[in-house]
């Protein structure tokens, strides 16, 4: 049985970043806590602006969700535009919608500019209707997205079958702005580029305390201290230590399995355009091909939970339903990651002190939003202009019953997968 804490992306990543230990106390303009998309984007932005930067990561770069996700570079959030406006107001909502519409282009531009080895495929994504009601939802979403100028296209049942190679769907919403990447390769490439611009990248260095005194933050670790004028905390769902600034969210687990590289005769009929996919099911399913031709398929669920065997049995059945020709293909890799989910599915930026910001809650959409948020947070702090932030900054954010809601979601996913394994 595969190790659920070791992702396929870790085994196939070709990007490397030099990390140096914290041997002496440092003084910098900006300290970044967390080596995921947001933190690495912030470090790269700050370093290229001429600021001195130190990024501190408690594990390896990309250890958290940035190295475990599906690798879909999507435009926008899970929420349709009308829901974003309803939560933020028209002005702030439209600003966020426009920012995230352009975010996939920002990701692919960074990949090209920095020569990041992460198998980028900019052929769009397919949001697939799993039922007639799912198709109606996509029709509404398509209308709202088109009204913002998004070049999305609603596909019929035959068109969806042609694009996926599967007869399991009622239609699809195609977004040509999006694409797929090797997600760990991308975040490590960002860190490498940041280091090349002068940022100090320090991994395996957990921040234990933060204190602000006379205009300077002091971050204490077991290896030494970092003094900084400004701080970005970008730990999201993998926060360690620092109980005084721990973000509130509901931890949702998402697992994935992968086949071995498929023989050419099987691979040719599956996703011939190279799109990444996810469906409209309440317990969502995603699937895509990686650069070596593995079929990577996943859904909500914790492989470290008692429901692991249920999730595994269900994913094998789901694979056979989507692609009967793959029913006998072994699943050679299996892993999971944590998502920081907020109640309204809007990312949260909080001011945790003077010139110090924390961000979390991408709710499963971390690649493009994290890249854009990291850039804007760095610019905002270095220019002392919080109006640049992509969402309104809050003094604090609280979620209620996070443990209970996490158990509820895991129980629901396990029950759904148990039932669908047998019927």
């Amino acid at each position: 049985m595969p190790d659920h804490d070791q992702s396929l992306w870790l085994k196939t990543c070709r990007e490397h970043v030099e990390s140096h230990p914290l041997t002496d106390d440092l003084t910098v303009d900006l300290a970044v806590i967390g080596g995921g998309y947001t933190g690495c984007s912030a470090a790269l932005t700050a370093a290229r602006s001429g600021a001195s930067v130190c990024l501190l990561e408690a594990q390896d770069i990309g250890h958290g969700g940035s190295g475990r996700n599906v690798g879909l570079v999507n435009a926008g959030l899970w929420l349709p535009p009308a829901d974003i406006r309803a939560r933020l107001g028209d002005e702030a909502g439209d600003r966020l919608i426009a920012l995230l519409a352009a975010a996939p282009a920002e990701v692919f531009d960074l990949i090209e500019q920095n020569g990041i080895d992460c198998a980028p495929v900019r052929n769009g994504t397919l949001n697939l209707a799993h039922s007639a009601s799912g198709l109606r939802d996509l029709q509404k979403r398509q209308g709202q997205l088109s009204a913002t100028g998004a070049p999305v296209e609603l596909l019929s049942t035959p068109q969806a079958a042609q694009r996926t190679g599967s007869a399991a769907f009622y239609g699809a919403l195609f977004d040509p702005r999006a694409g797929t990447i090797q997600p760990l390769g991308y975040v490590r490439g960002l860190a490498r580029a940041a280091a090349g611009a002068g940022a100090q990248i320090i991994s395996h260095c957990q921040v234990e305390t933060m204190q602000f005194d006379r205009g300077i933050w002091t971050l204490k670790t077991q290896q030494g201290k970092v003094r900084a004028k400004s701080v970005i905390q970008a730990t999201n769902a993998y926060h360690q230590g620092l109980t005084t600034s721990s973000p509130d969210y509901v931890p949702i687990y998402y697992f994935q399995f992968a086949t071995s590289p498929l023989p050419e005769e099987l691979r040719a009929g599956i996703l011939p355009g190279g799109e990444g996919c996810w469906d409209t099911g309440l317990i969502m399913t995603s699937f895509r091909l990686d650069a070596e031709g593995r079929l990577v398929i996943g859904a909500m669920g914790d492989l470290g939970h008692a429901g692991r065997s249920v999730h595994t049995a269900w994913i094998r059945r789901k694979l056979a339903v989507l692609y009967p020709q793959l029913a006998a293909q072994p699943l050679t890799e299996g892993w999971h990651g944590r998502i920081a989910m907020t109640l309204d599915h809007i990312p949260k930026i909080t001011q945790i002190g003077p010139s110090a910001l924390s961000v979390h809650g991408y709710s499963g959409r971390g690649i493009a939003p994290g890249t854009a948020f990291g850039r804007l947070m760095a610019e905002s702090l270095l220019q002392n202009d919080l109006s640049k932030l992509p969402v309104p900054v809050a003094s604090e954010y609280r979620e209620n019953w996070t443990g209970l809601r996490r158990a509820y979601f895991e129980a629901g996913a396990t029950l759904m997968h148990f039932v669908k394994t047998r019927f």
Side-chain angles (χ1 to χ4, degrees), residues 288-363:
R288 57 166 292 195
L289 290 171
D290 78 346
E292 287 76 39
R294 300 175 183 86
L295 195 288
V296 182
I297 182 170
M300 185 188 298
D302 181 354
L303 296 185
H305 184 266
R308 174 174 180 157
S309 61
V310 173
H311 298 317
T312 304
W314 172 82
I315 208 73
R316 293 183 185 280
R317 182 178 185 275
K318 185 69 175 182
L319 179 62
V321 169
L322 294 177
Y323 297 108
Q325 67 271 37
L326 301 185
Q329 290 292 313
L331 297 171
T332 58
E333 307 288 343
W335 70 99
H336 69 197
R338 255 189 335 269
I339 295 169
M341 187 80 71
T342 60
L343 187 61
D344 62 2
H345 307 301
I346 300 284
K348 306 302 175 188
I349 295 178
T350 54
Q351 186 155 19
I352 55 177
S355 299
L357 299 172
S358 177
V359 62
H360 75 283
Y362 295 113
S363 297

Side-chain angles (χ1 to χ4, degrees), residues 8 20 36 49 51 76 98 106 115 124 136 177 214 231 243 255 281 284 326 348 368-369 396 417-418:
L8 168 68
H20 303 285
S49 76
E106 182 173 348
R136 290 192 292 271
R177 301 170 295 178
R214 286 176 280 189
V231 175
T243 56
F255 69 87
M284 186 195 80
L326 301 185
K348 306 302 175 188
E396 64 176 358
H417 290 162
F418 177 80

